[in-house]
Amino acid sequence: MMNIQKNEFYYGFDVGGTKIELAIFDANFNKLHSQRTYTPTHDYKKFIDSIMGLVEFADNLVNAKGKIGIGIPGIVNHKTKQQLAVNVPCLTGKNLVDELTHLLNRKVAIENDCRCFALSEANTEQTKNLSSIFGTILGTGAGGGLVFEGKLFRGSNGIAGEWGHVPMSANIINRYNLPLFKCNCGLTACNERYLSGTGLAQVLDAKGFSVLNTEGFSQQLSLGNNEALKLFDMYLDMLASALASLQLLYDVDAFVLGGGLSNIQNIYSGLPKKMTDWLLPNVVPAKILPPVFGDSSGVRGAAMLNQSI
């Protein structure tokens, strides 16, 4: 057992297609402990048992009953409370929140993992004086979350922040002669199909620039490859158009970027200038900020869920 004083503790779970991460935080959201286990993606009972086992371990470790928040890729139907989780198919159609609340005899909060990232990054030293933050994931997919005064804004369907499934601007499609990619969501030309890591790789391939992954593209940028630099300028324009549209809707103070593409440093210097081309005259682009907690933001934001609902 850890030698710590009895206090409030928060457990964050970050559920992915390969691993479940548990992190234990104190009342100030300092991380005290973390561990991982594999995700039983096709066995619901094993999934429930894994979560319950980790909670029991955490309770014993801190000698208390911690508050539980879980971040999961996918969406929750806020009327039926059923999950839709493509990466963890055993959860789809299940009312996970009510079942875990009953089995663990305490309140359990569940939210999309991208919105957990946004909640975490809206509660840091670099954003503490900002009122509105849009967390913008540029990873395998493109997701996000909208946070006002430190609290998540979910909307009537609980999907606020799903900018990845807003259509890419026709102006951008025409300017760069881009293909109309079909999206797995059933729509066509979603932002995710062009601006996520996976989408960028598809765009590069369509332009005849072959790299194994976005890390390879980033390496070509650092080497000063002229074609890579030209295509990166195109990518910045595509991203600037999408974020400018979000600013015109929400007028946020800052966008905090996450995911693998957020590691490309040139994004932060080049994006604001590009955004001015897509904004109204005299509108100042929102700040473009790197993540403070990076890959750990999802689990930290999940732990914060019981403070934000």
Side-chain angles (χ1 to χ4, degrees):
M1 186 180 299
M2 297 176 68
N3 184 24
I4 51 181
Q5 294 181 345
K6 188 174 179 62
N7 204 335
E8 281 194 327
F9 297 96
Y10 294 84
Y11 306 160
F13 286 86
D14 185 13
V15 177
T18 58
K19 56 82 181 172
I20 299 172
E21 180 180 1
L22 159 70
I24 304 173
F25 297 86
D26 65 16
N28 295 315
F29 292 98
N30 300 304
K31 186 160 68 173
L32 306 175
H33 174 83
S34 66
Q35 65 186 77
R36 294 181 175 188
T37 187
Y38 84 99
T39 306
T41 56
H42 291 86
D43 191 319
Y44 184 64
K45 183 180 183 306
K46 285 185 178 179
F47 181 90
I48 292 291
D49 289 344
S50 294
I51 297 293
M52 291 185 65
L54 288 168
V55 170
E56 181 180 8
F57 168 83
D59 285 349
N60 289 332
L61 193 63
V62 300
N63 193 29
K65 291 181 67 172
K67 298 182 178 181
I68 300 169
I70 303 175
I72 298 177
I75 59 176
V76 180
N77 185 312
H78 278 222
K79 294 179 181 177
T80 67
K81 300 183 183 179
Q82 291 179 330
Q83 299 283 147
L84 174 60
V86 175
N87 291 342
V88 191
C90 70
L91 301 183
T92 295
K94 304 293 186 182
N95 186 335
L96 184 62
V97 66
D98 282 354
E99 182 159 359
L100 285 176
T101 296
H102 171 71
L103 291 172
L104 294 168
N105 193 30
R106 74 193 83 171
K107 187 176 184 179
V108 175
I110 296 178
E111 187 52 86
N112 172 268
D113 56 347
C114 295
R115 284 186 272 284
C116 290
F117 166 87
L119 180 60
S120 172
E121 292 296 334
N123 289 276
T124 67
E125 281 297 309
Q126 79 168 348
T127 55
K128 67 180 182 180
N129 295 321
L130 304 179
S131 297
S132 53
I133 303 295
F134 198 102
T136 313
I137 297 291
L138 300 168
T140 304
L146 182 60
V147 182
F148 288 109
E149 302 294 347
K151 305 290 185 181
L152 272 175
F153 176 78
R154 291 176 170 84
S156 61
N157 290 287
I159 60 169
E162 286 289 349
W163 73 283
H165 296 289
V166 173
M168 175 63 70
S169 164
N171 290 322
I172 287 287
I173 296 289
N174 292 330
R175 175 177 290 185
Y176 297 107
N177 192 27
L178 297 171
L180 294 177
F181 294 130
K182 293 284 186 180
C183 185
N184 292 332
C185 74
L187 300 175
T188 300
C190 291
N191 282 328
E192 180 171 285
R193 300 311 308 134
Y194 302 87
L195 298 174
S196 67
T198 306
L200 174 58
Q202 196 171 9
V203 170
L204 294 176
D205 186 64
K207 293 296 182 181
F209 190 85
S210 296
V211 288
L212 291 176
N213 47 42
T214 53
E215 288 81 5
F217 179 61
S218 180
Q219 184 178 33
Q220 290 301 310
L221 288 174
S222 64
L223 292 173
N225 180 294
N226 286 334
E227 186 63 18
L229 291 169
K230 180 180 177 181
L231 289 169
F232 180 68
D233 190 70
M234 177 189 72
Y235 177 77
L236 275 184
D237 200 23
M238 294 160 58
L239 181 58
S241 170
L243 296 190
S245 294
L246 290 172
Q247 187 168 358
L248 289 171
L249 286 171
Y250 303 121
D251 200 18
V252 295
D253 293 314
F255 294 96
V256 182
L257 307 186
L261 289 172
S262 70
N263 295 320
I264 300 177
Q265 293 305 307
N266 290 352
I267 284 181
Y268 299 97
S269 58
L271 198 53
K273 184 176 184 300
K274 290 282 188 184
M275 286 176 65
T276 60
D277 294 337
W278 299 101
L279 291 169
L280 296 172
N282 301 319
V283 173
V284 178
K287 297 176 185 294
I288 308 295
L289 302 174
V292 172
F293 289 93
D295 292 342
S296 298
S297 251
V299 73
R300 181 174 180 264
M304 291 178 166
L305 287 173
N306 265 315
Q307 276 203 339
S308 68
I309 61 177

